[in-house]
């Protein structure tokens, strides 16, 4: 397979990447044939997969608007993925130009393209790190340079946790992040869920497909996601299917469970 000019030399272009598959679902162009093949297999097994990704992206957009309106001006987006239309800094800085955003991703393609997009933006940056090492994220010079974590900060972990298995201790990882945040800070989570689905075949197919990628899937239900908000006060309506979280119209939350993503927002009191 010929390596595109924009692909960093140190990435494996023969193995599907979940970040590049997600980019494909959203209509992006920064993916390889192996990613498209895996994504197309996923769509054949779960035809609503692109709509699920779009529903999750719309949730992110509504959440950022909500947080800006609540006075948040600092965002730490962990697992931000390959930049597509509607990034956090675009949404936040359009409404509040002084907003500061740090993107974090483990995927070098995502980081490389984020660097390109953010060139010249002195209030947004990107670092290559892993959610499974929150202490390295928190101590990173770029995070420390741009964000004052003693002030209200929104930590976004959107469409990422289903790639963090229980043996990687997600609750402990999020607790490390929470303990570094000042009063009035926020946590945003969303993750894939098969809750309430009578037919397990789609879940089994999805798990089999993602086992061939760099990040197997780990589904969670509402109660499992609630545990990860320990220390945060959930914002109404709590943990719901993402189209149900502050929908723009009543119609947009119809058949919300088909989104396949549960999400919620929590706040540290004080």
């Amino acid at each position: 397979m010929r390596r595109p000019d924009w692909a960093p030399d140190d990435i494996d272009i023969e193995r599907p990447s979940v970040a590049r598959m997600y980019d494909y679902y959203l209509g992006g162009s920064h993916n390889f044939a192996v990613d498209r093949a895996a994504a197309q297999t996923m769509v054949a097994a779960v035809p609503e997969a692109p709509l699920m990704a779009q529903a999750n992206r719309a949730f992110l957009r509504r959440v950022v608007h909500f947080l800006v309106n609540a006075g948040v001006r600092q965002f730490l987006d962990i697992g931000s993925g390959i930049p597509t239309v509607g990034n956090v800094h675009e949404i936040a800085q359009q409404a509040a130009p002084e907003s500061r955003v740090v993107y974090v991703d483990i995927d070098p393609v995502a980081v490389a393209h984020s660097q390109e997009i953010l060139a010249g933006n002195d209030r947004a940056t990107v670092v290559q790190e892993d959610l499974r090492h929150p202490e390295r994220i928190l101590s990173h010079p770029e995070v420390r340079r741009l964000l004052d974590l003693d002030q209200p900060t929104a930590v976004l972990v959107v469409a990422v946790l289903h790639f963090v298995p229980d043996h990687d201790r997600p609750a402990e990882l999020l607790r490390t992040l929470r303990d570094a945040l000042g009063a009035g800070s926020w946590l945003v989570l969303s993750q894939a869920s098969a809750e309430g689905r009578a037919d397990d075949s789609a879940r089994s197919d999805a798990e089999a497909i993602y086992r061939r990628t760099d990040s197997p899937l780990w589904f969670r239900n509402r109660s499992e996601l609630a545990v990860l908000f320990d220390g945060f006060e959930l914002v109404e309506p709590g943990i719901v299917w993402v189209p149900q979280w502050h929908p723009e119209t009543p119609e947009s939350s119809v058949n919300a469970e088909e989104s396949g993503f549960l999400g919620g927002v929590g706040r540290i009191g004080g």
Side-chain angles (χ1 to χ4, degrees):
M1 181 186 299
R2 180 180 178 274
R3 182 180 296 272
D5 293 339
W6 50 263
D9 292 337
D10 57 348
I11 65 169
D12 182 357
I13 65 173
E14 302 293 339
R15 188 180 189 189
S17 156
V18 298
R20 300 191 303 263
M21 288 172 67
Y22 194 72
D23 176 66
Y24 175 84
Y25 297 143
L26 291 172
S29 60
H30 295 106
N31 45 73
F32 305 133
V34 67
D35 306 309
R36 294 189 288 275
Q40 289 161 3
T41 302
M42 178 66 179
V43 172
V46 185
E48 60 270 29
L51 294 177
M52 293 163 64
Q54 293 163 20
N56 190 72
R57 196 71 178 185
F59 166 73
L60 174 65
R61 182 185 66 247
R62 296 196 306 277
V63 165
V64 174
H65 279 301
F66 171 88
L67 293 170
V68 169
N69 289 337
V72 177
R73 297 296 183 268
Q74 299 192 127
F75 298 84
L76 180 60
D77 186 359
I78 303 176
S80 50
I82 294 173
T84 57
V85 174
N87 292 308
V88 172
H89 76 280
E90 293 176 333
I91 301 166
Q93 291 178 352
Q94 183 176 22
E98 69 275 23
S99 297
R100 300 185 299 282
V101 180
V102 176
Y103 294 106
V104 181
D105 206 280
I106 193 173
D107 187 287
V109 172
V111 173
H113 282 283
S114 296
Q115 289 171 335
E116 183 178 342
I117 285 175
L118 298 174
N121 188 330
D122 60 2
R123 291 191 176 93
T125 190
V126 59
V127 302
Q128 186 171 350
E129 261 306 341
D130 188 340
L131 171 60
R132 290 168 292 188
H133 298 287
E135 69 288 345
R136 296 205 308 233
I137 295 173
L138 294 166
S139 63
H140 195 285
E142 284 294 280
V143 174
R144 289 296 181 182
R145 178 182 69 83
L146 208 58
L147 304 180
D148 177 0
L149 297 180
D150 291 331
Q151 299 301 314
T153 304
V155 174
L156 313 174
V157 186
V158 175
V160 178
L161 286 171
H162 43 259
F163 302 124
V164 180
D166 282 350
H167 61 254
D168 278 338
R169 310 178 314 280
E172 185 176 321
L173 303 179
L174 293 173
R175 191 176 306 118
T176 298
L177 292 168
R178 182 201 67 199
D179 290 347
L181 299 173
S185 291
W186 305 74
L187 175 66
V188 180
L189 301 179
S190 76
Q191 94 133 67
S193 177
E195 181 174 288
R197 287 180 178 256
D199 181 9
D200 269 351
S201 61
R203 171 177 176 166
S204 298
D205 289 342
E207 288 173 332
I209 292 164
Y210 276 85
R211 276 196 296 271
R212 302 198 293 269
T213 73
D214 54 357
S215 300
L217 277 176
W218 192 277
F219 289 90
R220 291 186 177 88
N221 59 31
R222 209 171 302 241
S223 61
E224 291 171 313
L225 198 56
V227 170
L228 303 181
F229 278 102
D230 180 46
F232 293 86
E233 301 170 3
L234 278 168
V235 173
E236 290 294 334
I239 298 171
V240 294
W241 297 111
V242 291
Q244 295 173 327
W245 199 90
H246 295 217
E248 293 173 347
T249 66
E251 295 76 16
S252 61
S253 62
V254 173
N255 299 323
E257 68 280 0
E258 294 180 3
S259 71
F261 280 92
L262 290 171
V265 177
R267 183 176 182 271
I268 298 176

